[in-house]
Amino acid sequence: MTGLIVHVLMILVAIDVARKSRNKTTWTLTQLHWRMWLSIVGAVVGLLLPKLEPAQPGSPNAILCIALTLLSVFVFSKALYRRTDLRTVVPDVAMPG
């Protein structure tokens, strides 16, 4: 249970850091969509890899999965914030479809 609480706190910190550092991002809309899909794949791999090959807490596999998941959450949230910024600046460009 404590591990779950720690993971949720780390994810919340990653989202907050992404929110604060979004002004430094100069991603175009194409780069933004590519990074969003790549971060979704990274998060899925980071969450499913321990299920395929069980790892003990603190093992390199477990640390890699946690790092991959946190990085993916960070990039995805930063891309969402950037898309929101693009929608407010140029509404017609950032709209899907």
Side-chain angles (χ1 to χ4, degrees):
M1 185 65 176
T2 354
L4 179 65
I5 293 171
V6 170
H7 287 214
V8 169
L9 288 176
M10 287 191 299
I11 288 173
L12 291 175
V13 167
I15 291 171
D16 189 50
V17 169
R19 182 180 56 83
K20 291 179 182 176
S21 67
R22 70 180 178 187
N23 294 334
K24 300 174 188 171
T25 306
T26 58
W27 297 341
T28 63
L29 194 60
T30 307
Q31 292 171 339
L32 185 137
H33 286 285
W34 173 250
R35 289 190 173 140
M36 284 177 77
W37 282 110
L38 195 61
S39 65
I40 290 171
V41 170
V44 168
V45 168
L47 292 172
L48 290 181
L49 194 61
K51 303 296 181 204
L52 298 176
E53 181 183 334
Q56 298 297 323
S59 71
N61 188 22
I63 293 171
L64 173 72
C65 292
I66 292 170
L68 183 62
T69 304
L70 285 177
L71 179 66
S72 298
V73 166
F74 174 75
V75 170
F76 187 78
S77 59
K78 196 170 185 177
L80 282 179
Y81 283 123
R82 175 66 178 161
R83 187 177 73 173
T84 304
D85 291 344
L86 285 176
R87 278 187 179 171
T88 58
V89 173
V90 186
D92 296 334
V93 174
M95 292 302 290

